Amino acid sequence: MTVRRSAAALAATATVLCVAAAPAAVAAPSPSPSPSVALPSGLYGTKDPTYDGVWRQSLAFASQRAVGVSPADEAVDWLIGQQCDSGAFPAYRPDPTVRCDAKTMVDTNATAAAVQALHEVRGHEKLVQHGASWLKSVQNKDGGWGYTAGSPSDANSTSIVIGALARAGEKLDDVTNSEGRTPYDALLTFAIPCGGKDGGAFAYQPDKAGKLVANGDATAAAVLGSLGKGLVVGNNAAVKDPACTGGDDLKPEQAAQNGAYYLAGALKKTGHLDSPPMPGAEDSAPQPDFGNTADAVVALSAAGHKDKAAASVKWLEENSAGWAKENGPAAYAQLVMAAHATGTDVHDFGGADLVAQLNATGPAPSTDKKPTASATEEEKKDSGDGDGIGGVWWFVGIGLAVGAGAGFLISGRRKNQQL
């Protein structure tokens, strides 16, 4: 969910490009802050939050609420304090007492994730609506969104914004720009037609030649977006096998099923998706992408095909512990979402209590148990009960991962390379 991987990923890529003979990156974590840097007490995680503070906090809240855990008030207050007067959120604002200005790097992915998180913890609907209003105000002419306001639309950003607007109670067919285009109009432009080995997949964006190149991260995000769902989805009953449906008048629900068809095929051989090679390391062996695999599990369940994700859930149970420990709250959150979406025990995930591990990355949760936010009508109209928020969702995210290929963290799923 990986902007769901983003500026941090881009920063990591830049680092790789500047270092001669750099080894292939394998889910490198975001840099740890220096000992002199004191992180806010309400923030989840201990690593540098510059590129993913709001993102990881939002994913933590979303996944906690999905399993009945309420985050601590100080953690919620920290996230609220990150919102700018415009309604937008940056990736991280070290001093919330300093008002946002034109130099504050707000983005759609952090905003969309925070909108969903605040909706889930309840009692903050004015802030939710303020964030949703900003998102609508920066909708592109094609109906979609890019990572930053005004940047070209991409499948990941458009999808996580769709999830946020749906959770905020918006009817997506009514979210139109001055050209009369909806978010679905933009999202469907990234869908690869059926036929061929990549039929049914989504591209992040067209490449330089205008070609759509299949991207597993973008596909997982777009399945959720096409269904009008957010970062977290419920445990849906399995339906018939996914199929790829062609035609010139593709509907969002059909595009979602086409994406599920592609994901099921991509996971079938090994049970996991792979990270694309880093620049300069094209000849290296492919590395498993834990975050994107978890996102694909959520997407398949949302589309009614959790049976096709069973092997991937098992693979994550057996292999993801080290990755999650290294990468912290957003990683644990993605695993919680994958387990929740498939009815897998979140307290015994390959022998690990994912909820306890996630909770330990931030302030102790509140003892009171508030009801999980109910599904919106927008989410109920599609397959599944839509009892959660999106995504990956996003993203997040969105997608490169913080630190080169982790397959999650900041909303910036910036993986334009082929799966």
Side-chain angles (χ1 to χ4, degrees), residues 166-257:
R167 295 306 284 157
E170 296 284 347
K171 293 184 178 180
L172 296 171
D173 288 333
D174 294 338
V175 179
T176 57
N177 58 17
S178 59
E179 309 289 327
R181 294 191 174 91
T182 72
Y184 293 129
D185 290 330
L187 190 56
L188 293 180
T189 66
F190 304 113
I192 298 175
C194 298
K197 68 182 182 67
D198 293 332
F202 282 76
Y204 172 74
Q205 286 176 328
D207 64 14
K208 293 181 179 179
K211 180 182 178 182
L212 296 177
V213 179
N215 183 296
D217 186 30
T219 303
V223 167
L224 292 175
S226 297
L227 292 172
K229 295 185 181 295
L231 292 169
V232 179
V233 302
N235 177 17
N236 301 309
V239 296
K240 64 181 180 180
D241 289 351
C244 200
T245 302
D248 296 329
D249 189 25
L250 191 66
K251 304 298 183 186
E253 296 84 356
Q254 293 173 323
Q257 293 300 323

Side-chain angles (χ1 to χ4, degrees), residues 11-24 279-280:
T13 299
T15 299
V16 172
L17 292 173
C18 293
V19 178

Side-chain angles (χ1 to χ4, degrees), residues 390-403:
V392 246
W393 204 6
W394 24 246
F395 267 150
V396 142
I398 184 255
L400 295 171
V402 168

Side-chain angles (χ1 to χ4, degrees), residues 110-187:
T111 302
V115 162
Q116 296 185 58
L118 291 176
H119 173 72
E120 292 303 315
V121 297
R122 311 297 289 273
H124 306 289
E125 284 307 306
K126 286 186 178 180
L127 302 180
V128 169
Q129 294 302 321
H130 196 29
S133 294
W134 180 82
L135 289 169
K136 290 191 293 181
S137 75
V138 296
Q139 186 178 18
N140 286 337
K141 288 186 177 181
D142 62 2
W145 288 265
Y147 181 66
T148 57
S151 62
S153 298
D154 64 76
N156 298 71
S157 298
T158 299
S159 296
I160 193 171
V161 172
I162 285 175
L165 295 179
R167 295 306 284 157
E170 296 284 347
K171 293 184 178 180
L172 296 171
D173 288 333
D174 294 338
V175 179
T176 57
N177 58 17
S178 59
E179 309 289 327
R181 294 191 174 91
T182 72
Y184 293 129
D185 290 330
L187 190 56

Side-chain angles (χ1 to χ4, degrees), residues 160-416:
I160 193 171
V161 172
I162 285 175
L165 295 179
R167 295 306 284 157
E170 296 284 347
K171 293 184 178 180
L172 296 171
D173 288 333
D174 294 338
V175 179
T176 57
N177 58 17
S178 59
E179 309 289 327
R181 294 191 174 91
T182 72
Y184 293 129
D185 290 330
L187 190 56
L188 293 180
T189 66
F190 304 113
I192 298 175
C194 298
K197 68 182 182 67
D198 293 332
F202 282 76
Y204 172 74
Q205 286 176 328
D207 64 14
K208 293 181 179 179
K211 180 182 178 182
L212 296 177
V213 179
N215 183 296
D217 186 30
T219 303
V223 167
L224 292 175
S226 297
L227 292 172
K229 295 185 181 295
L231 292 169
V232 179
V233 302
N235 177 17
N236 301 309
V239 296
K240 64 181 180 180
D241 289 351
C244 200
T245 302
D248 296 329
D249 189 25
L250 191 66
K251 304 298 183 186
E253 296 84 356
Q254 293 173 323
Q257 293 300 323
N258 291 355
Y261 169 84
Y262 171 81
L263 290 174
L267 292 171
K268 188 174 182 179
K269 183 177 180 180
T270 63
H272 63 78
L273 300 180
D274 290 328
S275 297
M278 292 298 296
E282 286 79 2
D283 295 332
S284 62
Q287 299 293 332
D289 193 319
F290 298 94
N292 284 348
T293 299
D295 291 346
V297 167
V298 174
L300 283 170
S301 182
H305 307 294
K306 69 175 184 178
D307 56 318
K308 302 302 178 185
S312 298
V313 173
K314 184 66 175 177
W315 181 84
L316 287 169
E317 286 187 289
E318 295 174 348
N319 298 282
S320 65
W323 167 79
K325 182 178 180 180
E326 177 63 30
N327 290 288
Y332 285 123
Q334 283 182 277
L335 294 178
V336 169
M337 293 174 191
H340 176 69
T342 55
T344 308
D345 190 349
V346 293
H347 299 289
D348 185 12
F349 191 80
D353 187 335
L354 294 177
V355 179
Q357 291 175 327
L358 172 60
N359 292 348
T361 67
S366 301
T367 54
D368 61 311
K369 294 261 184 111
K370 301 175 184 177
T372 301
S374 60
T376 62
E377 291 303 316
E378 182 69 25
E379 292 176 311
K380 287 179 180 178
K381 75 178 185 179
D382 294 310
S383 65
D385 57 11
D387 64 351
I389 35 182
V392 246
W393 204 6
W394 24 246
F395 267 150
V396 142
I398 184 255
L400 295 171
V402 168
F408 77 95
L409 295 181
I410 355 191
S411 276
R413 307 186 179 226
R414 300 243 179 224
K415 295 180 184 171
N416 294 339

